[in-house]
Amino acid sequence: MSESPSAGPKAFRLEYPQHLAEYSSYEDAQAAVDFLADQKFAVQNLLIVGTNLKLIERVTGRRTWGTVLLQGAVSGITTGLLVGFMLVLFFPSGSMSMLFVGLALGIVFGIIAAGLGYAISGGKRDFNSARQTVATSYEILAEHKVVAQARELLAKRPGARAALFE
């Protein structure tokens, strides 16, 4: 099917990978590896690879000046609280009013940053969304030296014979 990625950290590479199995969900691939682990198979010789990637973007609403500035204010709250706490900690003579000063500064800078970003975009993206990359199938690769043993064990897995005829 597919080859092991040539790039990436060594921990995510197999030396001579071969196709072992393919599943339509990650949970099914994970269950197969778990079964092999229960059979005392050397699972460190396996790699689960998500294949046929798709980008899914869920549009959550319109983007207006009001929503942009509100989001900027909300994101500025956490920054402002952090700045305020630092002011209180590092300036012992300061009172709790330093916390409110930091909070106000965070909100103002959050609104300015969000507003500038929206203005620069020129209306090219007038909607909010959430994105996620998902795999449509999951392939299990195994080192060439253990792939035959893994295939034999997976063939003994309950329901494995029925899955061959689907």
Side-chain angles (χ1 to χ4, degrees):
M1 290 262 167
S2 68
E3 296 296 317
S4 174
S6 60
K10 188 171 177 77
F12 290 102
R13 283 188 263 162
L14 297 176
E15 204 167 314
Y16 298 106
Q18 290 188 349
H19 174 80
L20 174 61
E22 189 166 341
Y23 298 93
S24 59
S25 74
Y26 175 77
E27 290 75 18
D28 290 341
Q30 182 181 3
V33 172
D34 189 46
F35 175 80
L36 291 172
D38 292 344
Q39 303 302 310
K40 307 295 188 240
F41 178 79
V43 292
Q44 65 271 20
N45 292 304
L46 301 176
L47 189 65
I48 299 175
V49 180
T51 59
N52 301 321
L53 300 181
K54 290 185 177 183
L55 174 67
I56 299 172
E57 184 171 13
R58 172 75 167 118
V59 178
T60 58
R62 280 189 44 132
R63 194 174 214 191
T64 64
W65 275 106
T67 60
V68 167
L69 297 180
L70 179 64
Q71 287 173 346
V74 169
S75 70
I77 288 174
T78 54
T79 305
L81 284 173
L82 179 65
V83 169
F85 280 126
M86 293 297 141
L87 288 172
V88 169
L89 287 175
F90 292 115
F91 294 104
S93 61
S95 63
M96 288 304 283
S97 64
M98 295 299 254
L99 181 66
F100 295 114
V101 168
L103 182 60
L105 286 173
I107 291 172
V108 167
F109 285 120
I111 289 172
I112 290 171
L116 282 174
Y118 185 61
I120 290 171
S121 75
K124 291 193 190 241
R125 191 171 166 89
D126 283 340
F127 61 92
N128 293 319
S129 65
R131 291 184 192 176
Q132 183 177 16
T133 302
V134 295
T136 58
S137 61
Y138 296 86
E139 182 179 13
I140 300 177
L141 300 175
E143 281 286 355
H144 72 290
K145 60 189 174 202
V146 296
V147 72
Q149 178 191 6
R151 284 185 183 137
E152 287 176 23
L153 288 171
L154 281 179
K156 295 177 185 175
R157 186 173 173 214
R161 292 182 62 105
L164 291 175
F165 300 105
E166 287 181 358

